[in-house]
């Protein structure tokens, strides 16, 4: 008789197990939501429930603070650990999630009928898990409804949602889930280069000749070639020596790739000693390299990184992931986010280039803060491993368009750009003219509203803010990460596209130019038996700050305002200034 109550209790426990588990995972709370459809986008239709997407889950990293602390220590020339960059394995160990986080996420997946062992991708550190799910399944998991949204200006369509939720328990274990509320595609983001009215470059043979660094001709003020840049930034006489070790990487998207034949034409016209030089093509996640209809952006990047750093080995990474959305497609299309594709790919490599450049960006406020923070932390991993990461600062000054907030209040404020606002990258603004250089009016610059001002730039930025006084009060976040950090030429670049020379402008010109100079500095360091420079900003704002040509005139208007003004010292138009290789070489020796 005593067995009956025990049996009843056991049965009650078994019956109650599933509802209790269901409550655990059905107790949803909003993770991120927009109050309005991001500007430029419009709802188009409901995607098919069986349309597949790759859901990325970014788990909280158990030792993230230790990673960032290590990053600053190995990047600070005054620290005893300077240059002692971390190995891939050391970084992976620091970014690994806590076992409790892994267990919670895997239990949640199992609740939704997903075997964690079937994950489409896991990062080496385990902090990113990618699973392939249908739209209907993603909607159940995230308590949301997906839509197909159309971006008229770029012709892009994406599968996104206005908000998403996670079980309360997962909020302490998960940083971000994508694709969800980040609408930016690299088509809509790309704004840092543009083709100018066609210019005649004249006697092509004259551009192949080297220019004395003591007498940069006035023609370089309107027509930029590698010879102009090498003279302006004092790299003409330097011959790379560590070419077996030192590498430079260019990350590209949108199906763009750099054309081999165009590079040879560029070399024959603008740098004859490099004729026959090549670069490595790497295709990530379906990236293209058909060698037909090359992209202006891709050719610009590789022609000028090569034009400055030759014969340093260059690699162009063509990352796919953004073909047009097809309603009847049952494979992942542009639901992917190529930034994450490229970052997860490159961080999974044992050996990576010591220098990177990327020429894409978007208004910071259009990027969900959880997404921006997760991507920024991935750049911290690159820096910790000894890579210098350059990003163009944008082409809209302090902001383009109406510059109103997207939080429902419609306040007018300056619009910082991301990833330029990430404190773990080196943001490159733009200049024009020569003898002297001046800030170009579209040079992106300002202050982040997501990221706090890092200590490495406090002194420089405080000096600028003290001089600014109350001007523009309320339009920017004076305590935010300030950018750009540095600058380089940004207009009149002669680029060969389809065999024809085009004139190109934008901070897309500035970033690969600056990266070329950094690659030479890394070559020098490595050839001397030293570590590469890695994350540059702590060095640049301290012992190397005298290695730049201070830009003291020009401004970056936007948002209906005059914008900031370049002046003595750091400013949010040209940063610390443009590089002087010889001075920097002496400072990093």
């Amino acid at each position: 008789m005593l067995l009956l109550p025990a049996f009843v209790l056991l049965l009650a426990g078994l019956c109650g197990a599933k509802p209790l588990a269901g409550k655990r995972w059905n107790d949803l709370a909003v993770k991120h939501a927009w109050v309005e459809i991001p500007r430029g986008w419009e709802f188009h239709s409901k995607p098919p429930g069986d349309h597949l997407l790759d859901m990325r889950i970014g788990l909280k990293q158990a030792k993230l603070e230790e990673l960032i602390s290590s990053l600053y220590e190995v990047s600070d020339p005054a620290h005893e650990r300077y240059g002692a960059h971390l190995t891939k394995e050391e970084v992976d160990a620091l970014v690994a999630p806590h076992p409790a986080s892994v267990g919670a996420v895997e239990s949640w997946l199992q609740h939704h009928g997903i075997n964690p062992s079937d994950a489409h991708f896991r990062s080496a550190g385990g902090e990113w898990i990618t699973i392939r799910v249908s739209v209907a399944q993603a909607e159940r998991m995230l308590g949301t409804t997906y839509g197909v949204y159309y971006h008229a200006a770029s012709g892009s369509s994406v599968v996104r949602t206005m908000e998403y939720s996670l079980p309360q328990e997962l909020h302490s274990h998960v940083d971000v889930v994508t694709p969800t509320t980040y609408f930016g595609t690299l088509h809509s983001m790309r704004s840092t280069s543009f083709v100018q009215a066609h210019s005649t470059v004249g006697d092509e043979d004259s551009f192949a000749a080297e220019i004395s660094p003591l007498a940069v001709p006035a023609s370089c003020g309107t027509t930029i070639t590698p010879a102009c840049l090498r003279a302006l930034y004092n790299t003409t006489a330097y011959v790379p020596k560590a070419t077996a070790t030192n590498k430079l990487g260019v990350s590209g998207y949108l199906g763009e790739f750099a054309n081999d034949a165009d590079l040879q034409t560029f070399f024959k016209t603008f740098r004859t000693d490099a004729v026959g030089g090549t670069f490595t093509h790497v295709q990530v996640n379906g990236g293209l390299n058909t060698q037909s209809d090359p992209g202006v952006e891709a050719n610009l990047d590789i022609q000028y990184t090569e034009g400055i750093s030759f014969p340093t080995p260059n690699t162009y990474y063509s990352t796919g992931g953004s073909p047009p959305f097809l309603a009847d497609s049952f494979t992942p299309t542009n639901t992917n986010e190529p930034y994450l594709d490229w970052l997860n790919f490159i961080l999974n490599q044992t050996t990576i280039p010591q220098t990177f450049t990327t020429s894409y960006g978007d208004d910071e406020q259009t990027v969900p803060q959880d997404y921006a923070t997760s991507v920024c932390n991935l750049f911290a991993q690159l820096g910790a491993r000894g890579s210098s990461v350059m990003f163009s600062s944008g082409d809209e000054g302090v902001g383009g368009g109406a510059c109103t907030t997207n939080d429902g209040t419609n306040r007018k404020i300056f619009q910082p750009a991301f990833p330029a606002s990430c404190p773990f990258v080196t943001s490159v603004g733009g200049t024009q003219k020569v003898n002297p250089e001046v800030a170009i009016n579209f040079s992106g610059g300002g202050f982040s509203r997501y990221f706090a001002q890092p200590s490495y730039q406090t002194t420089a930025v405080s000096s600028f803010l003290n001089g600014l006084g109350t001007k523009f009060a309320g339009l920017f976040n004076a305590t935010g990460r300030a950018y750009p950090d540095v600058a380089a030429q940004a207009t009149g670049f002669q680029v060969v596209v389809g065999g024809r020379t085009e004139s190109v402008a934008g901070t897309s010109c500035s970033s690969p130019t600056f990266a070329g100079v950094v690659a030479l500095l890394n070559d020098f360091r490595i050839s001397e038996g030293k570590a590469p420079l890695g994350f540059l900003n702590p060095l640049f704002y301290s012992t190397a700050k005298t290695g730049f040509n201070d830009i003291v005139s020009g401004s970056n208007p936007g948002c209906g305002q005059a914008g900031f003004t370049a002046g003595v010292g750091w400013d949010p138009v040209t940063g610390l200034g443009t590089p002087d290789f010889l001075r920097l070489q002496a400072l990093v020796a």
Side-chain angles (χ1 to χ4, degrees):
M1 295 295 292
L2 292 176
L3 292 176
L4 185 58
F7 174 75
V8 170
L9 286 172
L10 176 61
L11 184 61
L14 291 172
C15 292
K18 190 169 184 179
L20 287 173
K23 182 179 180 181
R24 178 189 182 192
W25 300 124
N26 292 329
D27 182 20
L28 299 177
V30 173
K31 182 76 168 125
H32 181 261
W34 294 120
V35 298
E36 59 185 37
I37 297 176
R39 285 172 203 142
W41 295 90
E42 59 186 61
F43 178 81
H44 179 269
S45 59
K46 183 80 173 68
D50 53 4
H51 173 73
L52 297 177
L53 54 82
D54 281 348
M55 180 188 287
R56 287 181 175 82
I57 305 164
L59 282 69
K60 290 190 182 296
Q61 298 156 38
K63 298 180 180 178
L64 179 61
E65 291 184 2
E66 187 176 336
L67 170 74
I68 294 174
S69 177
S70 293
L71 168 67
Y72 281 125
E73 289 176 359
V74 301
S75 307
D76 180 357
H79 199 279
E80 62 183 5
R81 290 185 65 191
Y82 181 63
H85 301 116
L86 280 60
T87 65
K88 176 182 181 297
E89 292 73 23
E90 288 171 333
V91 169
D92 290 344
L94 292 176
V95 301
H98 191 281
S101 297
V102 177
V105 169
E106 291 188 345
S107 294
W108 173 60
L109 294 177
Q110 289 169 337
H111 172 73
H112 286 282
I114 299 168
N115 187 340
S117 64
D118 293 336
H120 190 60
F121 170 83
R122 283 184 188 252
S123 59
E127 80 278 25
W128 285 94
I129 299 175
T130 302
I131 56 172
R132 187 157 289 176
V133 297
S134 67
V135 164
Q137 190 169 20
E139 290 179 334
R140 289 191 297 271
M141 297 172 71
L142 303 176
T144 191
T145 300
Y146 277 87
V148 178
Y149 292 85
Y150 178 68
H151 188 263
S154 64
S156 298
S157 295
V158 295
V159 177
R160 295 293 187 271
T161 181
M162 287 291 292
E163 70 173 48
Y164 77 101
S165 300
L166 286 173
Q168 290 274 13
E169 180 178 332
L170 289 188
H171 280 244
S172 61
H173 297 295
V174 173
D175 283 328
V176 67
V177 178
T178 74
T180 50
T181 53
Y182 175 45
F183 277 67
T185 68
L186 289 161
H187 262 301
S188 64
M189 289 167 61
R190 179 184 160 196
S191 61
T192 59
S193 75
F194 50 93
V195 176
Q196 300 172 292
H198 183 63
S199 62
T200 302
V201 297
D203 180 5
E204 293 186 341
D205 289 337
S206 67
F207 285 95
E210 292 298 350
I211 298 170
S212 167
L214 300 179
V216 179
S219 63
C220 292
T222 56
T223 304
I224 289 292
T225 67
C228 289
L229 297 173
R230 297 177 74 202
L232 269 170
Y233 302 140
N234 269 334
T235 71
T236 302
Y238 185 79
V239 179
K241 307 177 187 68
T243 54
T245 303
N246 191 38
K247 306 287 190 296
L248 194 163
V250 177
S251 56
Y253 304 94
L254 305 174
E256 285 210 359
F257 49 85
N259 185 271
D260 297 302
D262 282 344
L263 179 62
Q264 293 309 309
T265 302
F266 179 82
F267 281 158
K268 289 173 185 175
T269 308
F270 301 116
R271 187 157 182 188
T272 55
D273 64 317
V275 170
T278 61
F279 63 97
T280 301
H281 297 270
V282 174
Q283 293 156 262
V284 181
N285 191 37
L288 299 179
N289 181 28
T290 66
Q291 290 297 296
S292 61
D293 191 24
V296 173
E297 181 70 63
N299 274 9
L300 161 67
D301 288 344
I302 204 69
Q303 287 171 20
Y304 278 87
T305 54
E306 285 270 14
I308 296 171
S309 71
F310 178 83
T312 301
N314 280 218
T315 298
Y316 186 88
Y317 299 90
S318 177
T319 303
S322 286
F325 173 78
L326 302 174
D328 59 352
S329 172
F330 300 116
T331 58
T333 58
N334 64 352
T335 53
N336 292 345
E337 283 151 342
Y339 260 154
L340 290 177
D341 285 332
W342 182 78
L343 282 163
N344 281 320
F345 169 83
I346 204 72
L347 287 168
N348 202 41
Q349 307 304 304
T350 302
T351 303
I352 58 178
Q354 293 85 351
T355 308
F356 288 104
T357 178
T358 309
S359 297
Y360 297 87
D362 206 352
D363 285 351
E364 185 184 70
Q365 71 168 4
T366 67
V367 184
Q369 189 166 1
D370 55 359
Y371 182 94
T373 301
S374 294
V375 169
C376 188
N377 289 339
L378 289 171
F379 291 127
Q381 291 188 43
L382 284 176
R385 288 180 59 180
S387 292
S388 304
V389 181
M390 264 60 66
F391 263 89
S392 53
S393 71
D395 292 349
E396 296 182 326
V398 294
C403 294
T404 52
T405 59
N406 59 357
D407 59 2
T409 64
N410 289 319
R411 293 174 296 117
K412 176 174 281 192
I413 59 172
F414 291 168
Q415 294 293 331
F418 178 82
S421 64
C422 170
F424 307 130
V425 305
T426 298
S427 176
V428 189
T431 61
Q432 62 178 330
K433 301 182 180 179
V434 297
N435 303 321
E437 292 182 85
V438 301
I440 200 160
N441 62 0
F442 56 71
S443 181
F447 297 78
S448 174
R449 292 184 176 272
Y450 285 177
F451 302 103
Q453 190 176 111
S455 59
Y456 61 69
Q457 63 175 186
T458 300
T459 300
V461 175
S462 294
S463 179
F464 171 81
L465 291 173
N466 289 337
L468 186 68
T470 59
K471 190 176 183 181
F472 305 131
L475 291 176
F476 69 96
N477 174 27
T479 62
R481 186 278 204 258
Y483 75 96
D485 302 297
V486 293
Q489 286 282 316
T491 187
F493 277 53
Q494 303 306 295
V495 180
V496 177
V497 184
R500 183 172 181 266
T501 300
E502 302 279 3
S503 187
V504 181
T507 52
S508 276
C509 302
S510 312
S511 188
T513 295
F514 196 90
V517 175
V518 170
L520 296 183
L521 291 171
N522 276 328
D523 178 275
F524 169 70
R525 290 267 305 178
I526 294 169
S527 67
E528 294 287 311
K530 297 181 174 67
L533 294 172
F535 177 40
L536 298 166
N537 296 2
L539 168 71
F540 283 176
Y541 283 91
S542 59
T543 57
K545 63 185 177 183
T546 58
F548 297 92
N549 307 307
D550 195 9
I551 309 302
V552 297
S553 62
S555 61
N556 60 349
C559 301
Q561 299 285 333
F564 298 112
T565 301
V568 176
W570 180 91
D571 56 72
V573 189
T574 59
L576 296 165
T578 60
D580 184 312
F581 173 78
L582 294 179
R583 278 188 275 156
L584 287 168
Q585 181 184 20
L587 290 166
V588 304

